[in-house]
Amino acid sequence: MHRDTSLTALRTSAAALGLRRTRLGRMTVHAGRERGEVATLLLHGAAGSWTTWTPLIAASDRLGTPLTDVIIPDLPGWGDSAGTVDDIGAVSAELAAMVRSQGFERWRVVGHSLGGFVALDLAAREPEATVGVGLVSPSGPGVQAVVRRPFARAARVPGFAGMLLAMRALSGLGAGAPDLLRGLDRVGLLRPLAAPLFARLDRIDPSVISALADEIRPVAFGGAARLAAAYDTARWRTITASVVSVRGERDVFAAADEQARLAAIVPRFREVRMRSAGHFAHVEQPVATLRALGLGAAGGTDPRWRDYRRVTA
């Protein structure tokens, strides 16, 4: 039976979503839909780009509660941005300057995976400007432990340990890695390899897998992982904004005690577990993610939304 995967499809036209594409420093940024005084800063994860947020934006439009004042950068090393994530604090400073250059003095920041790590750092460094933090499957203590001691800690987060090993193997291919990944995508082999990242692969649009083929950049991934491993998460204790984390119940990059460890570090932290979602809850279940993060209404009369509203606290 053919399943409609359009809810999870990634959009590549910024203009179609009411966004304009600009270059600010070393980052390519997609911004627009201005209505208020608080920006919504969306940060993608490793092996991603600004397009990972487009199902969420499209869902908000369809529900009649559009996300506004949106700023979505390609983080250094991914998408069309130059450089690499070589210093998390420096990236946070760039992001703060970027948002202010767009005329905003306050923001809510939402980050996926590595972007969640950066979102927490930004909130800690800019407590007065950050009015809220949303996380989607954030990288945290479990990922740090595996990068620091990959063999000793692999059993703690085996999904991430396997990804780290794959990235190291791909790094050895040098310039041939992108061609290999795109070739696997063309012949349909990348899709089953990516299956562990999602709860229901049959609901995932082909555009999501093709984006992974383009954005799995082993050198950038490895560098970001090492930076995260060396980061002192005690900095997050200074966060004053409320922090909501959304995590799929089938997120293979999360340790069993991830929620408890983050709650012990981050003040005003709470987590929402989402059924039928893996590491990309905002792609698999955009409406439920909007609801959980408080970014839009959870509703709609289209029956295709039915399975996208299963959220448990």
Side-chain angles (χ1 to χ4, degrees):
M1 180 180 69
H2 174 73
R3 181 179 289 274
D4 182 4
T5 62
S6 61
L7 295 176
T8 66
L10 304 190
R11 282 72 171 174
T12 57
S13 171
L17 293 171
L19 302 173
R20 57 187 178 276
R21 183 179 185 274
T22 58
R23 184 84 173 189
L24 297 172
R26 60 177 176 163
M27 295 191 210
T28 298
V29 182
H30 299 80
R33 303 158 68 99
E34 291 89 347
R35 287 189 184 179
E37 298 179 352
V38 178
T40 299
L41 177 63
L42 304 175
L43 305 178
H44 65 78
S49 73
W50 78 278
T51 62
T52 193
W53 295 109
T54 57
L56 201 73
I57 295 173
S60 77
D61 289 345
R62 182 162 184 167
L63 291 172
T65 56
L67 290 179
T68 59
D69 307 302
V70 173
I71 300 176
I72 321 175
D74 284 340
L75 293 174
W78 285 284
D80 292 327
S81 289
T84 59
V85 176
D86 46 11
D87 183 291
I88 291 174
V91 170
S92 291
E94 287 181 71
L95 291 170
M98 174 191 303
V99 176
R100 291 186 171 114
S101 75
Q102 300 299 296
F104 298 96
E105 291 299 326
R106 296 185 300 154
W107 54 76
R108 62 180 61 85
V109 57
V110 181
H112 169 238
S113 195
L114 170 67
F117 207 97
V118 177
L120 290 169
D121 183 77
L122 175 61
R125 294 176 188 273
E126 294 275 0
E128 297 297 324
T130 304
V131 303
V133 180
L135 309 172
V136 180
S137 298
S139 300
V143 166
Q144 287 185 305
V146 172
V147 180
R148 289 168 180 165
R149 301 178 64 188
F151 296 106
R153 302 295 186 184
R156 185 175 176 187
V157 195
F160 181 76
M163 174 67 80
L164 192 63
L165 181 64
M167 290 300 103
R168 290 176 177 174
L170 287 170
S171 293
L173 296 178
D179 290 338
L180 172 62
L181 291 166
R182 292 183 185 114
L184 290 172
D185 183 39
R186 280 194 299 272
V187 299
L189 292 179
L190 186 60
R191 190 176 183 88
L193 291 175
L197 297 175
F198 307 98
R200 292 288 302 273
L201 189 62
D202 61 328
R203 292 180 174 173
I204 300 305
D205 190 80
S207 61
V208 178
I209 307 303
S210 294
L212 286 173
D214 288 334
E215 297 299 338
I216 293 177
R217 302 181 185 183
V219 174
F221 185 98
R226 288 189 294 273
L227 279 175
Y231 183 89
D232 182 4
T233 57
R235 178 181 292 276
W236 296 345
R237 298 185 188 279
T238 65
I239 294 173
T240 58
S242 63
V243 179
V244 179
S245 174
V246 175
R247 193 181 295 279
E249 290 183 347
R250 296 180 62 181
D251 181 5
V252 296
F253 287 176
D257 61 350
E258 200 80 13
Q259 176 180 353
R261 286 179 173 269
L262 282 170
I265 301 169
V266 181
R268 304 179 64 191
F269 175 91
R270 69 182 180 90
E271 183 163 288
V272 175
R273 293 295 180 92
M274 197 170 293
R275 301 189 189 112
S276 297
H279 191 61
F280 288 81
H282 59 304
V283 172
E284 291 192 84
Q285 298 199 43
V287 170
T289 301
L290 284 168
R291 173 185 174 185
L293 295 176
L295 295 177
T301 57
D302 189 322
R304 290 184 302 172
W305 294 121
R306 183 175 59 250
D307 293 338
Y308 287 76
R309 296 202 295 270
R310 297 178 181 174
V311 182
T312 57

